[in-house]
Amino acid sequence: DAGITQSPRYKITETGRQVTLMCHQTWSHSYMFWYRQDLGHGLRLIYYSAAADITDKGEVPDGYVVSRSKTENFPLTLESATRSQTSVYFCASSEKGAASPLHFGNGTRLTVT
Amino acid sequence: AQSVTQLDSQVPVFEEAPVELRCNYSSSVSVYLFWYVQYPNQGLQLLLKYLSGSTLVKGINGFEAEFNKSQTSFHLRKPSVHISDTAEYFCAVSPNTGNQFYFGTGTSLTVIP
């Protein structure tokens, strides 16, 4: 089915471990985004990408790494997880950026112990 | 810089009553405006968007919003709510000069039978 899928849905990891969250979209949208959702903060942008091999920092990029070697994939890596990175992570895509609405995945709930 | 303020974090309303969820924004440039809805354990779904033209926009599920440029507001309304409207609602803006989306902290709408 067409859409945007995130994996895993749930992840528990320990402080200091590296973890990668996957995001795959089937629309061939140019733009992809990673947000984290925390109570009281709404959604905050971590990184975004305008096209393959083009990425840029958002509001809260520290501690995260992204790559986009293919248009359809946009993985997010926590290089050394910290408890403050416990959150729900959403991947989204947009056809043309600002004027095109975001299409969201169902999220990954990450717990860092 | 852009900011989005949703003044009400929680809004309880009785079934079949009208509701208004408030959204104000600040931006030094023109923006596109969006409302999203999030049901439990799901990603966000687009309710409606304002790009240009008529300031009153209609969306899915009977929702509508009005763009007021002078008051920099984009309030969401529904004349008669249903139990199924219970969800989290997010207002978002996207400057027309960029490719990022900025979200408010959300309003939790609870429809009481």
Side-chain angles (χ1 to χ4, degrees):
Chain A
D1 288 345
I4 185 165
T5 56
Q6 294 184 236
S7 60
R9 283 299 308 273
Y10 303 92
K11 176 73 176 179
I12 300 174
T13 192
E14 296 177 342
T15 299
R17 290 191 179 268
Q18 182 181 82
V19 60
T20 296
L21 310 183
M22 305 302 292
C23 178
H24 175 79
Q25 54 113 348
T26 60
W27 291 299
S28 297
H29 284 171
S30 296
Y31 290 85
M32 296 188 75
F33 304 80
W34 274 107
Y35 287 90
R36 59 178 290 173
Q37 183 179 26
D38 304 287
L39 199 62
H41 291 279
L43 279 81
R44 292 181 290 175
L45 181 64
I46 304 170
Y47 270 94
Y48 69 102
S49 167
D53 297 322
I54 300 174
T55 62
D56 209 346
K57 296 179 180 179
E59 182 184 1
V60 289
D62 293 343
Y64 302 94
V65 175
V66 293
S67 62
R68 195 165 176 208
S69 57
K70 294 183 178 181
T71 300
E72 61 266 30
N73 296 325
F74 192 39
L76 176 73
T77 297
L78 288 67
E79 293 187 298
S80 178
T82 65
R83 289 197 180 93
S84 65
Q85 293 176 309
T86 292
S87 185
V88 180
Y89 291 85
F90 286 99
C91 180
S93 69
S94 169
E95 184 178 6
K96 299 178 183 177
S100 303
L102 292 168
H103 299 264
F104 284 85
N106 283 328
T108 294
R109 184 176 294 275
L110 176 68
T111 301
V112 183
T113 62
Chain B
Q2 280 64 234
S3 69
V4 181
T5 302
Q6 293 183 243
L7 295 167
D8 306 303
S9 59
Q10 296 184 347
V11 173
V13 62
F14 285 103
E15 192 175 14
E16 297 183 5
V19 70
E20 178 180 82
L21 306 184
R22 296 180 292 170
C23 174
N24 289 86
Y25 68 94
S26 66
S27 177
S28 56
V29 300
S30 295
V31 297
Y32 303 117
L33 297 153
F34 306 84
W35 274 99
Y36 290 86
V37 60
Q38 183 182 32
Y39 299 104
N41 295 318
Q42 294 185 24
L44 283 71
Q45 304 171 29
L46 180 69
L47 268 180
L48 48 80
K49 62 185 178 184
Y50 172 78
L51 302 182
S52 64
S54 173
T55 57
L56 182 65
V57 293
K58 294 187 183 297
I60 62 171
N61 300 339
F63 284 93
E64 63 181 31
E66 186 159 19
F67 170 51
N68 188 318
K69 188 174 183 179
S70 62
Q71 296 186 4
T72 60
S73 67
F74 191 54
H75 301 332
L76 181 71
R77 302 186 183 100
K78 186 170 183 177
S80 176
V81 295
H82 302 290
I83 296 291
S84 58
D85 293 324
T86 294
E88 191 86 12
Y89 291 81
F90 290 92
C91 179
V93 303
S94 180
N96 65 4
T97 55
N99 295 304
Q100 295 191 37
F101 296 78
Y102 300 86
F103 285 82
T105 52
T107 297
S108 178
L109 174 65
T110 301
V111 180
I112 304 164

